[in-house]
Structure formats: C-alpha cells, structure tokens
Amino acid sequence: QLHLQESGPGLVKPSETLSLTCTVSGGSVSSTDYYWGWIRQPPGKGLEWIGSIYYSGSTNSNPSLKSRVTMSVDTSKNQFSLNLNSVTAADTAVYYCAKLGYGGNLNCLDPWGQGTLVTVSS
Amino acid sequence: SYELTQPPSVSVSPGQTASITCYGDNLGNKDACWYQQKPGQSPVLVIYEDAKRPSGVPERFSGSNSGNTATLTISGTQAMDEADYYCQAWDSSTAVFGGGTKLTVL
C-alpha cells in the first residue's frame, strides 16, 4: 500500500526558503502512471494546490505561486521535494504531499501524506 | 481564474440524505473529485471521475456532475460522516479546490 510522508523544518523565517521532502514507500516515484503533488492548507482554511511533478522532472505549478516554487524528484531516494522561496506569514500552513492519479485518471489526489505544519515567523 | 463555489455548511439528520454542491463554470465538462477531511486528519478521496467510488469508500457516497454543478450525495448519513468536504477540478492545467463544506450530522 502506497504511503507518503512529509518532512522538513516546522519553522521558517520570513524571506527565507521553505524546503520540504516527501518520501514515498510501497511504490516508486519513478512510476510512469502518476504525478506527485503538493497541496497546502492554512490553519482553519481550505485547500490550495501548489503544484505537481512527474518522475522525469516535468512540473506544473499554481500560477499564484509559480514564481516562488521549485520542485524536484530524487528517484534514488524515492522522494520528491518542494522549495518555496521568499516566504511570508501568509505561507504558514499544513503542507501535504499526495499522489496525483487514481483509476487510470490523473485528475484526483490519492493518497495524501499526513501533512506537516510549517510556521513562518521570526 | 477558475473558481469552484461550495456552501460553507450543510446540516443533516442521521439516516437522512445529505447533498453538497459545487458550482463552477461548465464544471460538467470537467472531471470532479471529492475529498472528505475529518478534524486533524488528511483529506481522503471519496469520489473521482464525477461519480466513481475508490476502493473502501461506502456505497452511501455517490456523485454526479452536469451543467455547472457537481453534487456529492450521502445517503443514510451516519455520525461518522461529519467532516469537511472539498470538491476539486482542473482548469488550464491548474488544480482548483472548492472552499469546502462543513457537514454537520445533527
């Protein structure tokens, strides 16, 4: 059964870069059948899609965040990563990683990682 | 940018049918996904391709999508179904989520 786990600092200073890694187990990040996605949820608010990446390194990002987002895949470690630069308090959120694709369709996210809270504060 | 609109809250009595709507321009021409999120937990996919249930999702969950509105229906609602529900679709290579609906089982 596929399992995803986010990891990274829980506290980031304003103007610095938020860096998170998602480790995939029970499956391969090199699969040609899926993409891998990042989603965030500010405390008490709704979900916001950040972007997705394919094993080849091809990416797609939310236009509202695109200029600050970098994503990568490390097939040797079965991981994919997110960097978000120039963070502000507005970037404080629970960050989730997820597999993009279910039932032969690449539209939905399943499963999701447990999420990790990142707070932006000095 | 594309928007999906959900009612902030829906209430239902146990055993009754709950319907949660998601409105978006020409949404019926897109595939809709629905997620359930309980407090302190990650979202879980409950409907994909408008109306299909992932393995393990109870049959009381169903979906439809036509025109500008996608609907998640929960028949015979149980207390365990109390949660936030989010719709999601794609527009111009961007995933869009609805604002979420809090389902209360009274």
Side-chain angles (χ1 to χ4, degrees):
Chain A
Q1 185 174 359
L2 194 69
H3 181 75
L4 290 81
Q5 178 71 57
E6 305 88 351
S7 59
L11 181 64
V12 180
K13 290 182 169 55
S15 80
E16 295 190 346
T17 297
L18 178 160
S19 296
L20 296 174
T21 296
C22 182
T23 300
V24 178
S25 57
S28 174
V29 75
S30 299
S31 172
T32 58
D33 295 331
Y34 312 119
Y35 280 68
W36 305 95
W38 290 98
I39 309 94
R40 70 181 183 178
Q41 185 172 35
K45 297 188 178 181
L47 301 168
E48 180 181 32
W49 180 69
I50 299 172
S52 57
I53 186 167
Y54 196 48
Y55 82 100
S56 62
S58 173
T59 61
N60 188 24
S61 302
N62 189 324
S64 68
L65 299 170
K66 189 171 186 176
S67 64
R68 299 195 290 132
V69 168
T70 304
M71 293 177 286
S72 61
V73 171
D74 187 337
T75 55
S76 67
K77 295 181 178 179
N78 218 29
Q79 297 174 334
F80 60 101
S81 298
L82 169 71
N83 281 348
L84 179 67
N85 62 33
S86 304
V87 297
T88 69
D91 295 310
T92 294
V94 175
Y95 285 75
Y96 296 100
C97 60
K99 176 176 68 68
L100 178 57
Y102 188 90
N105 181 301
L106 289 175
N107 292 331
C108 304
L109 296 147
D110 178 80
W112 297 52
Q114 69 179 29
T116 188
L117 174 62
V118 179
T119 301
V120 178
S121 175
S122 55
Chain B
S1 61
Y2 193 76
E3 293 185 357
L4 294 174
T5 302
Q6 299 179 234
S9 62
V10 168
S11 298
V12 64
S13 299
Q16 299 304 303
T17 297
S19 294
I20 300 173
T21 57
C22 175
Y23 176 88
D25 190 37
N26 288 320
L27 181 55
N29 291 332
K30 310 177 188 297
D31 282 343
C33 315
W34 288 93
Y35 304 92
Q36 176 193 68
Q37 185 179 34
K38 296 182 178 180
Q41 298 184 18
S42 305
V44 173
L45 180 68
V46 293
I47 293 289
Y48 70 103
E49 291 183 21
D50 299 335
K52 297 180 178 179
R53 281 189 315 277
S55 174
V57 173
E59 291 185 7
R60 63 180 181 273
F61 287 86
S62 62
S64 64
N65 187 13
S66 179
N68 296 317
T69 305
T71 303
L72 173 69
T73 302
I74 309 173
S75 304
T77 307
Q78 300 183 8
M80 68 172 63
D81 301 328
E82 186 163 286
D84 293 329
Y85 291 86
Y86 294 90
C87 60
Q88 178 245 309
W90 287 81
D91 182 75
S92 300
S93 301
T94 299
V96 180
F97 289 95
T101 298
K102 180 176 181 59
L103 177 67
T104 300
V105 182
L106 298 171

